[in-house]
Structure formats: structure tokens, C-alpha cells
């Protein structure tokens, strides 16, 4: 005991944060059982009295042997915590957990004349908790994000279980809570880990974390004591919105909107497009026309090509081929639509694809990644990200590959542009978002109406690297034209 005091004094640590005064006798290795209050706080810090903010937390740090306060007899509740100081506290907690002694870990790295934080940092680095990402910052006030980064890796999940995992995941994904933390926030994952473990719940009703704000010693004490005492951990009182309408009952026909007027003898491309929509709304793959008299082969061929162009705008339906029979004498034309790669299996593929897409829709809603309070643009962005995270481009696909239809994306996680666009449009239509496909001879992408605005979305080109490329999301027609003409 006395040797520990002398060692701490020699390292000039007691004046900074206070050394541990008690070492458990029979400590277990790597066990939360080592978190035991061996002392009783009785006013050792002159600025920490019953009823004061963070009283319970500062007192607990003393009782766990993690701090004896500052040299002037205070804890310094309102003073900023430096990066180096939070490193010291984290190392003590790690050492207490691992060896039953808050100073044992740093002691192995102590060198005369080094900065107070240095042996603690070396210990955490040896344990894989930190590397050199905070170098040059140790004497500066710690931000709340930096604090989260240090603390998130201090203990294993067995000692710091994510008791609020589902609640935080749903709340954060809905963007109704923790709204000042995004995927671009430094140490975003570490911040959310603290919410999941009950170490923090934010500073207001929406759970704001204030990641760039400096953290006071009092606020840091609150996080630190929750690390070692499960009884102090918190559960947010949020009630994320989870009510949604399942897409499980959706049918292919119900996804067809717009003009579905049937014209037996269409004379314009618009009338043929309406005929195709009529066929799809009836969940048929056969379109029959009757021009009421003799026609030329060119007339039949023109109608067939126009119908094929029209059906491609519904690429989610997975028809990309048409065969046509006709009589030049009677003017009757019969077109049968299919998928080049699917053959007779297409009905089964379509059934699987619709069910799989409905399951994705329902899962994203149930997880709170999509909520009723979101705009159409926000919802479309969630589906854009899901496609990019769950599919890879099939660079080896041939012209008769299944990768040309949405089935391949949902079943195999691979596709080319018409498979990507078909799957994306299917998800948007299950969401009630109006969309179609637009193509040129080499490529196909989505045109959607999001919150009343026509947008072009190329989810295929957006799926590059480890994160989605949002340059191709919600493009204006002019932006889209600059990438691919039509």
C-alpha cells in the first residue's frame, strides 16, 4: 500500500487526478468482480457535497479507488477534462478490471520524467484500446467525441453489454434522437456504443450528444462511474416510432400506377405504354392487340418495339424480352413478355423477389431506419444505401445472366444495372414512391418523384467503394444528363 503511494508521488500523478489508495486482496483476472467500492466517501472533495451536481459520480470515483482528487482538495467538477486525463482514468478502469489494481497497468510503463498520462497511454496502447490517433492533443481539453472514443474500447462487451442496443439503433436510425451525431461525426460508432451500454443518454429530450463540446470533469465522472457500476447505467425514455404498414400483402399489379387504359388498336407510343401498364396491372405477361383489319409487318414490329420500351420502364417487373406473333390479314397481334435469363422459372423468381423486397421494407421500418416522419427523399436515401450495402456489381455477367433482373440482387447479392434499378424501383414502389426506369443503349437508372420533385437516381453507379456515392442520388435531370445521356 505504502509502496503504491510512493510510486504515484514519484510520477507526479496524485496532484493531477489522484492515485488509487486501495488494492483488492484477491483480484480476479479480467473480471467485473474487481469493481468493488473499498472506501467510503466522506467529504474528501471540498467542491463535492451531497445534493451537488455529479456528487454521486465523483464520490464513486473515490470509493472505487480511481481518484483522490486534485492537489487543492477539490475534484474540479466544472473544470475541463483534458485528453490526457481521460486517458488516465480509462487506463485505471482497464487495469482495475484486468488485474484488480487501478495502477498496475500503467506501472509497467512508468519512466522517470515522463508526462503524467504517458504510462497510462502506453498501457492502453499495449491493450489495443488506443493507438496514436490522439497524439499532440493530450494537454488540450477533451471533446465529448474524443472521450467517447477513449471509453468505448476500455472494457470488453462482457463488462459493458449493449443493454439499450435495440432502442438506440431504432432511435438513431429514425433520426428522431441523437440527431447531432451522423455517420460523418468523429468517432460516431464509439458515441453510439456508449448510448447502447447506458453510459450516456444525451443532454436533452432528443438525446443530443454535443460531440464537439468540451467535457467537464463532472460530466466525465458520470460516464466513468457508469463504466464500473451497472446500477448507475441509464436507459433512455425515448419511444421511437415503430408503427408501419407491412408490405407483405403487396401484389405486382398493385404496384402499377398511372394510365392503364387499354386500347386494342393503339396509334401512339403513349397508347401502347398504357396497354402495357394495363397488362401489368392485371398481372399478365401477354398483351393482345387487334387493329381490326390488315396491317403491315412494319406496323406489328413498331408496336412490339414500343411495347418492349414501355415494359423496360417497369424494370422491377423483370420483363426484358418479348416474342411476337401477328396476322397481317386480321391485324391481330400477340406479345408475350419474359426474361432472357429466367425461362419458365420467371413466375417463381417473381414470387420470391416480391416477398424478399417486402421483407426488406418491413425490416427497415421495424428497425426504425424508416419512419412515417421522414420525407420521401429521406426514405429513398435509406433504400439507396441498403442496395449499395447488400449488392455487388456482377462484372462478369453475360447477356443471359440472372444479374439482369432484380431477383439476382435479392437472392444472390449481385446484379448489373437493370437488376440494380429493378430492385431499387421495387422497393420505392412498395414505399408508395412514384418511379420508373430510364435507359440508353448502355445503361439504365431510376427516375423518381420525391416530395414533388423529379429526380434521377443511379444506384448502380452509387455502389462503389465501402460507402455509397451519393453524387448519383436525387440528381437533377441536368446533372444526370452530364453523366449519361438518353
Amino acid at each position: 500500500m505504502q509502496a503504491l503511494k510512493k510510486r504515484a508521488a514519484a510520477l507526479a500523478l496524485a496532484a493531477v487526478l489522484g492515485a488509487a489508495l486501495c488494492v483488492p486482496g484477491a483480484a480476479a483476472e479480467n473480471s467485473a468482480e474487481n469493481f468493488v467500492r473499498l472506501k467510503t466517501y466522506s467529504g474528501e472533495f471540498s467542491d463535492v457535497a451531497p445534493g451537488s451536481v455529479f456528487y454521486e459520480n465523483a464520490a464513486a470515483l473515490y470509493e472505487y479507488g480511481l481518484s483522490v482528487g486534485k492537489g487543492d482538495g477539490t475534484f474540479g467538477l466544472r473544470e475541463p477534462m483534458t485528453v490526457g486525463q481521460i486517458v488516465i482514468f480509462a487506463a485505471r478502469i482497464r487495469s482495475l478490471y484486468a488485474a484488480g489494481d487501478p495502477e498496475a497497468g500503467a506501472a509497467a510503463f512508468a519512466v522517470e520524467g515522463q508526462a503524467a498520462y504517458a504510462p497510462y497511454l502506453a498501457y492502453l496502447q499495449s491493450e489495443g484500446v488506443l493507438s496514436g490517433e490522439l497524439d499532440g492533443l493530450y494537454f488540450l481539453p477533451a471533446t465529448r467525441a474524443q472521450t467517447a472514443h477513449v471509453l468505448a474500447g476500455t472494457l470488453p462487451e462482457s463488462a459493458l453489454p449493449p443493454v439499450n442496443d435495440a432502442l438506440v439503433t431504432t432511435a438513431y436510425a429514425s433520426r428522431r434522437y441523437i440527431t447531432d451525431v451522423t455517420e460523418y461525426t468523429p468517432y460516431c460508432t464509439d458515441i453510439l456504443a456508449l448510448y447502447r451500454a447506458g453510459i450516456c443518454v444525451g443532454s436533452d429530450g432528443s438525446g443530443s450528444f454535443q460531440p464537439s463540446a468540451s467535457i467537464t470533469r463532472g460530466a466525465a465522472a458520470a460516464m466513468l462511474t457508469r463504466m464500473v457500476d451497472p446500477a448507475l447505467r441509464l436507459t433512455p425514455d425515448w419511444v421511437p416510432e415503430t408503427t408501419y404498414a407491412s408490405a407483405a400483402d403487396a401484389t405486382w399489379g398493385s404496384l402499377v400506377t398511372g394510365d392503364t387504359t387499354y386500347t386494342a388498336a393503339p396509334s401512339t407510343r403513349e397508347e401502347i405504354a398504357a396497354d402495357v401498364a394495363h397488362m401489368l396491372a392485371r398481372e399478365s405477361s401477354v398483351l393482345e392487340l387487334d387493329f381490326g383489319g390488315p396491317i403491315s409487318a412494319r406496323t406489328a414490329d413498331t408496336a412490339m418495339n414500343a411495347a418492349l420500351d414501355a415494359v423496360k420502364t417497369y424494370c422491377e417487373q423483370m420483363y426484358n424480352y418479348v416474342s411476337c406473333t401477328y396476322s397481317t390479314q386480321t391485324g391481330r397481334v400477340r406479345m408475350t413478355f419474359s426474361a432472357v435469363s429466367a425461362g419458365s422459372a420467371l413466375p417463381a423468381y417473381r414470387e420470391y423477389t416480391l416477398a424478399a423486397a417486402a421483407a426488406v421494407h418491413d425490416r427497415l421500418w421495424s428497425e426504425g431506419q424508416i419512419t412515417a416522419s421522414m420525407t420521401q427523399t429521406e426514405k429513398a436515401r435509406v433504400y439507396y444505401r441498403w442496395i449499395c450495402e447488400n449488392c455487388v456489381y456482377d462484372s462478369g455477367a453475360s447477356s443471359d445472366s440472372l444479374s439482369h433482373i432484380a431477383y439476382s440482387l435479392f437472392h444472390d447479392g449481385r446484379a448489373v444495372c437493370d437488376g440494380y434499378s429493378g430492385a431499387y424501383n421495387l422497393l420505392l414502389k412498395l414505399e408508395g414512391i412514384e418511379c420508373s426506369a430510364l435507359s440508353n443503349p448502355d445503361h439504365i437508372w431510376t427516375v423518381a418523384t420525391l416530395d414533388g420533385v423529379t429526380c434521377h437516381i443511379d444506384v448502380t453507379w452509387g455502389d462503389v467503394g465501402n460507402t455509397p456515392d451519393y453524387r448519383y442520388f436525387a440528381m437533377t435531370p441536368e446533372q444526370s444528363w452530364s453523366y449519361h445521356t438518353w
Side-chain angles (χ1 to χ4, degrees):
M1 182 92 66
Q2 188 62 28
L4 285 176
K5 288 185 179 180
K6 289 180 179 178
R7 181 175 61 206
L11 293 174
L13 301 178
V16 180
L17 289 172
L21 298 181
C22 296
V23 180
E29 291 187 0
N30 297 312
S31 174
E33 294 178 1
N34 293 333
F35 295 141
V36 179
R37 301 191 190 212
L38 296 177
K39 297 187 294 183
T40 301
Y41 179 77
S42 55
E44 280 75 10
F45 307 139
S46 60
D47 60 340
V48 179
S52 61
V53 179
F54 301 121
Y55 165 80
E56 185 178 42
N57 305 109
L61 287 181
Y62 175 83
E63 294 180 346
Y64 279 107
L66 295 170
S67 177
V68 293
K70 301 177 63 181
D72 62 2
T74 68
F75 183 81
L77 290 173
R78 292 184 172 83
E79 296 178 16
M81 178 79 80
T82 68
V83 173
Q85 289 169 350
I86 200 65
V87 165
I88 292 174
F89 270 120
R92 286 176 174 168
I93 290 174
R94 176 81 174 196
S95 181
L96 182 58
Y97 170 83
D101 179 349
E103 296 296 335
F109 299 90
V111 177
E112 186 175 355
Q114 67 189 150
Y117 69 82
Y120 298 92
L121 174 63
Y123 170 59
L124 290 181
Q125 290 175 334
S126 73
E127 294 286 295
V129 176
L130 294 175
S131 54
E133 65 271 25
L134 299 175
D135 286 355
L137 304 175
Y138 300 109
F139 293 105
L140 299 178
T143 67
R144 292 173 61 83
Q146 290 167 341
T147 301
H149 175 58
V150 175
L151 297 185
T154 297
L155 294 175
E157 187 174 295
S158 58
L160 204 64
V163 292
N164 299 322
D165 188 26
L167 177 60
V168 171
T169 297
T170 302
Y172 176 73
S174 73
R175 303 310 300 143
R176 296 180 64 202
Y177 299 92
I178 328 179
T179 55
D180 59 349
V181 176
T182 72
E183 58 190 296
Y184 305 107
T185 301
Y187 308 123
C188 165
T189 301
D190 297 323
I191 293 170
L192 296 179
L194 296 191
Y195 279 83
R196 291 186 170 98
I199 304 304
C200 57
V201 293
S203 58
D204 55 29
S206 62
S208 298
F209 186 73
Q210 301 177 349
S212 60
S214 298
I215 191 167
T216 65
R217 287 170 59 87
M223 292 187 185
L224 291 163
T225 51
R226 292 170 195 149
M227 297 274 290
V228 298
D229 188 348
L232 296 178
R233 293 173 193 167
L234 306 171
T235 298
D237 57 2
W238 309 327
V239 184
E241 185 175 3
T242 57
T243 301
Y244 66 95
S246 173
D249 294 330
T251 64
W252 287 110
S254 68
L255 301 180
V256 179
T257 58
D259 186 1
T260 59
T261 303
Y262 174 71
T263 302
S267 59
T268 65
R269 294 183 70 88
E270 290 75 20
E271 288 180 338
I272 291 178
D275 282 348
V276 169
H278 175 79
M279 174 194 73
L280 296 175
R282 293 187 300 118
E283 301 192 16
S284 173
S285 60
V286 176
L287 174 61
E288 294 183 326
L289 305 177
D290 187 351
F291 288 90
I295 58 172
S296 66
R298 181 176 181 179
T299 297
D301 187 61
T302 298
M304 180 187 69
N305 288 329
L308 183 59
D309 287 343
V311 85
K312 285 182 178 179
T313 67
Y314 297 90
C315 61
E316 71 280 356
Q317 299 271 347
M318 300 193 293
Y319 296 121
N320 57 25
Y321 177 80
V322 61
S323 62
C324 180
T325 60
Y326 59 89
S327 169
T328 56
Q329 286 76 31
T330 65
R332 292 180 178 176
V333 179
R334 179 183 174 89
M335 303 180 201
T336 302
F337 295 86
S338 60
V340 173
S341 55
S344 61
L346 183 58
Y349 290 164
R350 279 165 51 86
E351 181 180 1
Y352 174 91
T353 301
L354 184 57
V360 171
H361 168 281
D362 288 5
R363 184 166 71 252
L364 293 177
W365 273 88
S366 66
E367 292 175 351
Q369 296 191 52
I370 296 178
T371 70
S373 62
M374 296 171 70
T375 64
Q376 288 184 323
T377 302
E378 290 170 335
K379 294 175 182 177
R381 185 183 175 95
V382 172
Y383 288 116
Y384 184 93
R385 182 177 68 242
W386 186 90
I387 292 281
C388 292
E389 291 177 348
N390 289 275
C391 187
V392 295
Y393 188 84
D394 187 359
S395 57
S398 61
S399 60
D400 61 352
S401 170
L402 284 173
S403 291
H404 289 279
I405 59 176
Y407 167 82
S408 181
L409 187 146
F410 289 108
H411 187 266
D412 301 317
R414 68 171 62 93
V416 292
C417 59
D418 34 7
Y420 271 92
S421 299
Y424 185 62
N425 286 14
L426 176 54
L427 291 170
L428 293 188
K429 289 191 173 183
L430 288 174
E431 197 57 61
I433 294 175
E434 180 182 340
C435 65
S436 62
L438 182 61
S439 63
N440 60 29
D442 302 312
H443 193 47
I444 188 169
W445 62 96
T446 298
V447 177
T449 301
L450 303 179
D451 305 305
V453 178
T454 298
C455 302
H456 288 227
I457 305 170
D458 192 338
V459 69
T460 310
W461 285 13
D463 185 17
V464 293
N466 296 323
T467 58
D469 189 338
Y470 290 106
R471 288 180 299 171
Y472 306 110
F473 175 77
M475 297 178 287
T476 65
E478 293 75 18
Q479 290 172 324
S480 180
W481 182 270
S482 70
Y483 292 122
H484 32 45
T485 58
W486 59 89

